[in-house]
C-alpha cells in the first residue's frame, strides 16, 4: 500500500511570531499579519455549545468533520508586490534549494511552496515508483525511480494546488500549494506572521486553506515602518476579499 510521503522543506519559512521588536532595515518595510479563522456570520462563537461548522475533511475525502476555528492550522499566507508605474517586478522567485519528498515517514496537510522551487523525490520504498501530477498548470510525469533513487522536477508552471500521486487508487503521496511569491508562511489561527525587510510599495496579502475560503487585503507599506493588519479564512469570504 502506498504511504503518504513526508515533505522536508529545505528552505526557511518566514516565522510566525509576536508583533514586538519588528524593525526593518533602513529604507525597507515590514508587515505583521494577525491570522484568524472565522465561523459563518450568525454561527455560535468559540465556547458556545455547537461551536463550529462542518466542512469536508482534509484527511478523508467525502467525509465531514467539525472545524475548530480557534486553533485551525494549515493556513497559508503570502504577499504579492504590485510593480511601481513604469517598472516590472519578477513575479516568481528563481529556484531555491530543493524541496525533498522522502518515503521514510507519514506527513499530513498541505505544504506551501513557491512557484519556481525545485522538488526532489527520493524513493525510500522497496519498489519502483513513477510520481506524477495532473494538477492544472503543474502536470508532470517522472520516469520510474528505483528504490533509493532520486528525481527532480521544477515547480515553475503555475500557482495553485499540486497533488503528487504514484497510484490513482491511493491518496496523493504529497499535497503542495504553489504561491506566486517569495514571501509566504504556514500559520495557525491565532498566530501572527511577520514579513520583514520588504521593498516599500503596494502589496496584496492572500490567505488560503483546503477547507475554508481564503481572502485578500490590500496593503501600502512605507519605508522604515511596520504595518499591522488582520487576515482570515472564512465562509464569509466567498467573494474573495475581506
Amino acid at each position: 500500500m502506498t504511504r503518504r510521503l513526508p515533505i522536508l522543506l529545505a528552505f526557511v519559512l518566514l516565522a510566525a511570531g509576536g508583533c514586538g521588536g519588528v524593525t526593518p532595515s533602513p529604507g525597507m518595510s515590514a508587515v505583521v499579519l494577525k491570522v484568524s479563522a472565522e465561523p459563518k456570520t450568525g454561527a455560535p462563537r468559540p465556547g458556545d455549545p455547537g461551536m463550529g461548522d462542518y466542512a469536508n475533511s482534509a484527511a478523508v475525502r467525502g467525509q465531514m468533520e467539525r472545524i475548530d476555528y480557534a486553533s485551525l492550522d494549515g493556513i497559508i499566507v503570502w504577499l504579492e508586490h504590485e510593480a511601481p508605474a513604469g517598472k516590472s517586478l519578477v513575479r516568481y522567485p528563481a529556484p531555491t534549494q530543493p524541496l525533498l519528498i522522502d518515503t521514510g515517514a507519514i506527513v499530513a496537510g498541505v505544504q506551501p511552496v513557491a512557484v519556481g522551487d525545485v522538488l526532489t523525490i527520493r524513493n525510500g520504498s522497496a519498489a519502483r515508483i513513477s510520481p506524477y501530477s495532473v494538477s492544472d498548470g503543474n502536470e508532470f510525469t517522472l520516469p520510474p525511480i528505483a528504490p533509493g533513487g532520486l528525481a527532480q522536477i521544477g515547480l515553475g508552471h503555475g500557482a495553485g494546488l499540486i497533488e503528487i500521486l504514484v497510484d490513482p487508487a491511493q491518496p496523493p503521496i504529497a499535497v503542495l500549494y504553489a504561491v506566486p511569491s517569495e514571501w509566504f508562511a504556514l500559520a495557525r489561527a491565532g498566530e501572527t506572521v511577520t514579513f520583514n525587510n520588504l521593498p516599500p510599495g503596494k502589496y496584496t496579502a492572500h490567505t488560503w486553506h483546503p477547507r475554508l475560503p481564503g481572502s485578500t487585503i490590500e496593503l501600502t507599506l512605507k519605508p522604515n515602518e511596520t504595518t499591522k493588519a488582520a487576515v482570515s479564512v472564512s465562509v464569509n469570504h466567498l467573494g474573495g476579499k475581506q
Side-chain angles (χ1 to χ4, degrees):
M1 179 176 178
T2 302
R3 301 180 66 192
R4 186 177 292 275
L5 308 186
I7 302 174
L8 307 178
L9 301 184
F11 59 87
V12 179
L13 292 180
L14 294 166
C19 296
V22 180
T23 304
S25 299
M28 302 299 282
S29 306
V31 61
V32 177
L33 301 175
K34 179 71 173 182
V35 182
S36 66
E38 301 173 353
K40 184 177 179 180
T41 301
R45 306 303 300 179
D48 294 340
M51 165 199 167
D53 298 333
Y54 282 95
N56 287 321
S57 168
V60 182
R61 294 183 181 182
Q63 294 192 12
M64 307 292 285
E65 62 182 29
R66 189 175 290 278
I67 298 173
D68 180 1
Y69 291 93
S71 58
L72 184 71
D73 60 8
I75 301 171
I76 298 174
V77 182
W78 73 95
L79 298 177
E80 287 191 78
H81 191 183
E82 180 180 324
K87 296 184 179 180
S88 61
L89 294 175
V90 178
R91 187 176 179 85
Y92 301 141
T96 61
Q97 292 179 322
L99 315 180
L100 175 63
I101 296 179
D102 203 329
T103 58
I106 296 175
V107 69
V110 181
Q111 302 297 319
V113 297
V115 173
D117 278 328
V118 175
L119 175 67
T120 298
I121 298 178
R122 175 186 292 152
N123 182 8
S125 70
R128 293 166 68 89
I129 60 172
S130 295
Y132 67 94
S133 168
V134 294
S135 301
D136 188 26
N138 281 287
E139 302 91 345
F140 63 82
T141 300
L142 293 177
I145 308 172
L150 298 171
Q152 287 190 332
I153 183 71
L155 303 175
H157 302 294
L161 197 66
I162 305 172
E163 293 187 334
I164 302 175
L165 304 102
V166 294
D167 183 344
Q170 299 293 334
I173 61 172
V175 182
L176 312 175
Y177 191 88
V179 302
S181 174
E182 59 188 303
W183 302 297
F184 64 94
L186 183 64
R188 177 186 296 270
E191 291 182 338
T192 57
V193 173
T194 300
F195 299 98
N196 200 1
N197 293 326
L198 304 172
K202 294 183 178 181
Y203 287 78
T204 302
H206 300 260
T207 62
W208 181 90
H209 190 269
R211 297 166 58 200
L212 290 174
S215 60
T216 63
I217 62 170
E218 306 299 322
L219 301 168
T220 298
L221 306 187
K222 298 180 180 180
N224 308 309
E225 292 187 9
T226 297
T227 299
K228 297 180 182 180
V231 295
S232 65
V233 292
S234 172
V235 292
N236 299 315
H237 299 326
L238 289 175
K241 290 190 176 182
Q242 291 186 210

